[in-house]
Amino acid sequence: MNDEAIIAATREWIEQAVIGLNLCPFAKAVYVKHRMRFVVSRARHLDGLLEDLDRELEFLAAADPDAVETTLLIHPTLLPDFLDFNAFLPLAEAAVEEHDLQGVIQIASFHPTFQFAGTEPGDLGNLTNRAPFPTLHLLREESIERAVAAFPDAETIYERNIETLNALGQSGWQALWRKP
């Protein structure tokens, strides 16, 4: 799969699930204003992925937020197992600290088989963090704070998402990805 197809699949996920189901009420404004950067990593090992992450952290920290507010660093092949991906996340967080960006940039994680602790693999709530490919979402904390301040009851988003996904059901989720 080439980079354009990977980005297209990720965009479809954002449009259909993240924005379409309103799983993240903050995503639409950033997406429609074209302030979301999509980067595909072709690293062949974890050290290479960390180097790509280093570059993206530096890029995002230096970029004008009115041009680039957030970055999705996507790796289509390196961490297919969720447990391996999850074990990698402390290294990604350490990279944020190494760049002195704690409190400036945070990482949200998405994976095709994402599973919250204490849930079963088939629990519909896990779909909130299931992307087509392992993805590190680099977010500016300032943007998150602004969005949370503007959204009443931001702490209820997770519960609302579970209700939405339970109402949609597995068949409804699968229908999102069927092309007419």
Side-chain angles (χ1 to χ4, degrees), residues 3-57:
D3 291 1
E4 292 78 22
I6 291 163
I7 291 171
T10 302
R11 284 183 177 279
E12 179 184 30
W13 165 67
I14 290 169
E15 292 166 5
Q16 297 295 336
V18 178
I19 294 172
L21 296 176
N22 201 28
L23 297 178
C24 177
F26 319 128
K28 184 175 182 179
V30 174
Y31 186 76
V32 299
K33 292 177 183 175
H34 306 288
R35 293 182 183 167
M36 192 174 288
R37 177 175 161 91
F38 296 84
V39 177
V40 176
S41 172
R42 291 296 182 171
R44 296 169 49 111
H45 47 76
L46 294 182
D47 287 340
L49 180 56
L50 285 170
E51 290 171 5
D52 290 344
L53 176 58
D54 285 339
R55 277 190 290 280
E56 286 309 308
L57 287 168

Side-chain angles (χ1 to χ4, degrees), residues 6-163:
I6 291 163
I7 291 171
T10 302
R11 284 183 177 279
E12 179 184 30
W13 165 67
I14 290 169
E15 292 166 5
Q16 297 295 336
V18 178
I19 294 172
L21 296 176
N22 201 28
L23 297 178
C24 177
F26 319 128
K28 184 175 182 179
V30 174
Y31 186 76
V32 299
K33 292 177 183 175
H34 306 288
R35 293 182 183 167
M36 192 174 288
R37 177 175 161 91
F38 296 84
V39 177
V40 176
S41 172
R42 291 296 182 171
R44 296 169 49 111
H45 47 76
L46 294 182
D47 287 340
L49 180 56
L50 285 170
E51 290 171 5
D52 290 344
L53 176 58
D54 285 339
R55 277 190 290 280
E56 286 309 308
L57 287 168
E58 290 172 7
F59 177 89
L60 188 60
D64 178 354
D66 290 332
V68 180
E69 195 165 339
T70 186
T71 298
L72 292 172
L73 178 59
I74 309 157
H75 201 297
T77 59
L78 190 58
L79 293 163
D81 181 85
F82 176 67
L83 294 178
D84 292 340
F85 177 75
N86 205 41
F88 172 78
L89 294 177
L91 296 173
E93 294 295 339
V96 172
E97 290 180 29
E98 288 170 9
H99 288 271
D100 287 328
L101 293 172
Q102 62 274 31
V104 178
I105 295 175
Q106 68 175 253
I107 297 177
S109 59
F110 300 92
H111 192 276
T113 58
F114 190 97
Q115 184 177 344
F116 287 105
T119 67
E120 294 297 319
D123 285 356
L124 294 173
N126 293 322
L127 297 174
T128 63
N129 284 53
R130 287 198 179 164
F133 309 100
T135 301
L136 299 175
H137 188 181
L138 312 182
L139 299 139
R140 295 176 191 270
E141 297 235 358
E142 185 176 277
S143 298
I144 295 167
E145 290 167 7
R146 258 193 331 271
V148 168
F151 189 83
D153 303 320
E155 67 278 357
T156 66
I157 293 170
Y158 175 74
E159 289 137 5
R160 184 182 46 91
N161 287 347
I162 290 175
E163 289 173 12

